[in-house]
Amino acid sequence: MTKLQGTYRVFVLGSSAAQGDPEPGFGIARLLEVLLRDQYPGVELEVINAAATAVNSHFVYASARACLRLEPDLLVVYAGNNEVVGPYGAGTVLTAAAPPLPLVRAAVAVRGPRLGQLVEGVARAARKSLGRGRAPGAWHGMEMFLEQQVRRSDPALERTYRNYERNLADTCRLARGAGVPVVLSTVAVNLRSCGPFASLHAASLSAADRSRWDALFAAGARLEGEGRWAEAADSLQKAVEIYPEHAEALYRLGRCEARFGRDADARRHLELARDLDTLRFRADTRTNAIVREVARRESGVRLVDAEETLAAQSPQGTPGDESFLDHVHLTFRGNYLLGTALFEQVREALPDVVRRQGSGRPMPSEEEVARWLVYTELDRYRIAETMQLRLGDAPFTNQPDHIEQAKRFADEIVLLRSRGDSGAVDVAVREYEQALAGGQAHWSVRERYATIEKRIGNAATAAIQWEILTKQLPQYPTFQLQLSRALRDAGHFAEARAALQKVLDYQLDTPVTLVEVARLELMQGRAAEATQAARRAVSIDPRDANALTVLAASLCPRHQCAPQERTEAIGLLQRALELAPESEAVRRDLDALETK
């Protein structure tokens, strides 16, 4: 990855919120890129998204070491949500919990970047899947952590904080030693419309106190549901006085206070609810205090206070669903606010030779940036669908405001579907075609266009786009996988197999690739070969709904099979439906077999 002379290169480090999940094409790395290109049009710029799903500062430190070998001019670090649940955190299921930092560094050094590749690879593959099981080595989302609750008093949590501080500080020192400035940011999270994922009572609470607490909490929740905010707050406040560390009670109290204008009290209680959430998927008060302290202490570091920036742009000074899709992942507006805040400090870190080439133009508006990034109503629809599916799983289903959040995306889908019926799909496709016709479009625009074309039934057009992407970025096997799928759906089976073979050469024995082999064989009428591949996929991950479904289809092609195979296929589909109850396709296949 040799840098051309005169190029200014920026790396963005962090986890999924920094990456831009669920659509990195609208994340902060892309925001920074388009802002820099607008403000410094004569400068050759590269903004590289080096963030990855489910990682934390241990990975960020290792990643920074690798990035510093690639001639960066600036590192941007936005990391802190996964400190507890990510690798080597106090509440992880991925590795040992909160071991001493020297042991972590040694383990990460041995595994090298493969740690990030492992976590990101399985997470990205799972996002394309129906499965939600817990097979060893498979990523099944946040549900994996349900049994990993961590109290604020847990000694392992203190070790996690210490490791976080050391990782951030050492990352900054590594960069300073290489002469590379760092922009370090606090981490903003959803406070106003994200209830705690889990709450715990003190084991020492007496039976009498617990009984009184239960009655007060139940009354508060009921009154809140009836819209009697002041009465609800009074009842919940009394429950909090009995036990002040129950996250859900504090969250409900804060929401009630916000309803009748006690904004400062509301924010204080909502922040405390986040800090006491025992499923720790969000950066908390201590995390952000560490960021501020490291930025103050380490030279060559510029601080962006994302937490306060988003709060200042939020109703009642408390961030919610105007900026967040869920607990930490940002809406387009949230990414815009964070991206512009980061840009101001990135601008200050630019060398004089770059700053002299500034355009002097005012900062572009959110609407202008949306147009440059080709953020269409089809993209909004796809994101809403993704979030609706995601919120159907635990621990989201355990949140006190789960019904409200699910309705939010259901309503969005209904609205956008009506607009699609009125021509919005054609408008969006034209926007993509116009962007690509210029020849300078970012690869992520082509990726989204290919996905959309396949979604609306134009598999051959999608295949052309995926093939271009495989040539632009041959090191990315996901594009070969998508090319194979599009070619298969277009009926070009030989070409589909050739593309799939490149994926198999990279990653042979995984459920994702084996399911694709089975589907391709099945479409060519080779049920025996499809069954063999599908059985292997199920043996690797018995709770992968995609693997179960394709095995059932292989046993009973077009729902035709002998009684023994039919019985097995019905059992497989029943298991798949338990794992993916929202899947209408699985339900239809099951109904078809059961009524034969």
Side-chain angles (χ1 to χ4, degrees):
M1 197 173 177
T2 303
K3 184 171 73 173
L4 297 176
Q5 186 174 3
T7 298
Y8 189 80
R9 179 176 284 175
V10 180
F11 283 89
V12 175
L13 305 176
S15 58
S16 58
Q19 185 191 52
D21 181 80
E23 179 44 70
F26 307 127
I28 58 174
R30 282 291 288 136
L31 262 292
L32 282 174
E33 182 176 13
V34 298
L35 292 174
L36 283 165
R37 290 189 186 282
D38 175 69
Q39 297 293 297
Y40 301 94
V43 179
E44 289 296 322
L45 293 160
E46 293 178 351
V47 180
I48 299 162
N49 191 342
T53 299
V55 302
N56 55 19
S57 65
H58 298 299
F59 174 82
V60 168
Y61 172 75
S63 183
R65 292 179 68 93
C67 292
L68 289 169
R69 295 195 290 268
L70 300 173
E71 304 178 85
D73 295 286
L74 179 69
L75 300 183
V76 175
V77 180
Y78 184 77
N81 287 316
N82 294 333
E83 288 311 299
V84 177
V85 298
Y88 308 105
T92 191
V93 296
L94 301 169
T95 60
L101 188 58
L103 294 180
V104 177
R105 295 267 175 94
V108 174
V110 169
R111 301 176 77 171
R114 288 175 294 170
L115 175 63
Q117 291 170 359
L118 167 68
V119 175
E120 170 62 10
V122 293
R124 191 175 181 95
R127 285 197 294 270
K128 309 294 184 183
S129 166
L130 295 170
R132 294 181 174 79
R134 303 185 188 186
W139 175 263
H140 295 287
M142 293 166 59
E143 184 181 3
M144 299 167 64
F145 299 87
L146 287 173
E147 304 304 319
Q148 300 298 315
Q149 296 189 49
V150 179
R151 294 181 185 272
R152 187 162 64 169
S153 59
D154 192 322
L157 184 60
E158 182 61 32
R159 292 197 300 273
T160 299
Y161 288 131
R162 289 200 302 268
N163 287 347
Y164 177 61
E165 181 171 10
R166 178 72 179 274
N167 283 331
L168 287 188
D170 286 355
T171 297
C172 295
R173 291 166 190 167
L174 280 174
R176 183 171 67 244
V180 177
V182 174
V183 172
L184 183 61
S185 178
T186 59
V187 180
V189 304
N190 189 343
L191 293 174
R192 196 181 70 252
S193 51
C194 177
F197 292 104
S199 306
L200 288 173
H201 280 287
S204 59
L205 202 62
S206 70
D209 282 344
R210 178 59 190 268
S211 179
R212 286 196 302 122
W213 186 95
D214 286 343
L216 289 165
F217 178 80
R222 175 179 55 79
L223 291 164
E224 182 190 9
E226 294 171 358
R228 296 159 66 181
W229 317 117
E231 295 169 80
D234 181 64
S235 186
L236 290 164
Q237 179 60 51
K238 291 174 181 175
V240 167
E241 288 168 3
I242 295 171
Y243 180 61
E245 296 204 355
H246 192 274
E248 185 178 338
L250 288 159
Y251 178 71
R252 289 183 178 277
L253 174 58
R255 291 212 312 179
C256 291
E257 290 168 330
R259 290 285 190 169
F260 56 88
R262 286 165 50 178
D263 295 348
D265 288 339
R267 178 169 175 175
R268 177 169 57 86
H269 286 128
L270 293 171
E271 287 177 337
L272 190 53
R274 172 214 42 203
D275 293 349
L276 292 167
D277 189 343
T278 53
L279 282 176
R280 297 177 174 272
F281 293 108
R282 294 178 286 177
D284 60 16
T285 298
R286 179 77 177 276
T287 305
N288 282 326
I290 288 169
V291 174
R292 295 183 183 103
E293 172 58 22
V294 169
R296 183 196 65 78
R297 191 176 66 218
E298 301 297 329
S299 62
V301 177
R302 295 183 178 277
L303 175 68
V304 172
D305 201 332
E307 182 180 42
E308 292 305 320
T309 295
L310 266 67
Q313 297 292 325
S314 301
Q316 302 167 303
T318 308
D321 56 17
E322 71 287 334
S323 294
F324 291 94
L325 296 165
D326 53 17
H327 57 306
V328 297
H329 299 110
L330 294 153
T331 61
F332 190 91
R333 175 169 175 74
N335 275 315
Y336 175 79
L337 293 173
L338 176 55
T340 51
L342 290 167
F343 176 80
E344 293 301 331
Q345 290 304 316
V346 169
R347 186 204 298 268
E348 294 301 314
L350 295 173
D352 289 341
V353 66
V354 173
R355 297 186 64 163
R356 284 196 294 268
Q357 299 181 62
S359 66
R361 289 193 285 260
M363 284 289 289
S365 67
E366 181 182 340
E367 291 72 23
E368 288 176 299
V369 172
R371 188 171 63 254
W372 296 341
L373 294 180
V374 198
Y375 177 58
T376 71
E377 295 213 338
L378 275 179
D379 295 294
R380 285 179 57 191
Y381 186 85
R382 289 177 55 236
I383 289 170
E385 275 192 326
T386 298
M387 296 310 303
Q388 186 180 53
L389 186 63
R390 186 177 295 180
L391 293 179
D393 288 341
F396 294 106
T397 51
N398 299 337
Q399 291 180 284
D401 51 3
H402 170 67
I403 292 175
E404 297 167 40
Q405 295 310 310
K407 184 177 184 301
R408 166 191 175 189
F409 291 107
D411 290 347
E412 175 93 338
I413 287 170
V414 170
L415 172 64
L416 292 171
R417 188 176 290 148
S418 68
R419 292 181 183 175
D421 293 339
S422 302
V425 172
D426 293 337
V427 170
V429 169
R430 284 198 298 272
E431 289 180 41
Y432 273 99
E433 290 172 344
Q434 290 168 5
L436 292 169
Q440 300 296 317
H442 191 267
W443 64 263
S444 66
V445 176
R446 192 176 302 278
E447 180 189 28
R448 284 183 278 123
Y449 176 59
T451 301
I452 287 168
E453 286 289 358
K454 186 172 183 295
R455 174 73 178 268
I456 62 178
N458 298 331
T461 301
I464 293 170
Q465 303 304 318
W466 289 120
E467 187 167 15
I468 293 171
L469 287 166
T470 62
K471 293 174 180 176
Q472 286 182 343
L473 297 163
Q475 72 276 21
Y476 199 14
T478 295
F479 291 160
Q480 291 287 353
L481 182 64
Q482 297 293 356
L483 173 59
S484 176
R485 287 170 171 163
L487 288 166
R488 180 198 67 205
D489 290 351
H492 303 308
F493 299 131
E495 295 93 329
R497 177 67 201 204
L500 184 56
Q501 187 58 51
K502 294 178 181 179
V503 185
L504 293 168
D505 291 342
Y506 173 80
Q507 196 172 42
L508 174 62
D509 215 23
T510 65
V512 172
T513 52
L514 289 166
V515 163
E516 292 306 313
V517 170
R519 285 175 173 155
L520 184 56
E521 297 287 11
L522 195 58
M523 287 189 73
Q524 296 174 84
R526 296 199 285 260
E529 291 84 348
T531 300
Q532 182 180 10
R535 283 201 187 282
R536 178 61 185 153
V538 171
S539 72
I540 295 171
D541 188 351
R543 290 175 58 86
D544 184 322
N546 274 337
L548 294 166
T549 303
V550 77
L551 178 53
S554 302
L555 290 167
C556 291
R558 300 182 181 86
H559 306 131
Q560 301 296 320
C561 52
Q564 183 176 347
E565 283 77 12
R566 184 181 306 280
T567 299
E568 182 181 359
I570 288 172
L572 292 164
L573 290 172
Q574 288 171 339
R575 286 160 56 194
L577 198 58
E578 290 174 2
L579 294 163
E582 77 292 337
S583 176
E584 291 301 323
V586 174
R587 194 178 302 278
R588 284 195 303 270
D589 286 344
L590 180 59
D591 289 344
L593 285 177
E594 288 180 331
T595 56
K596 283 286 183 178

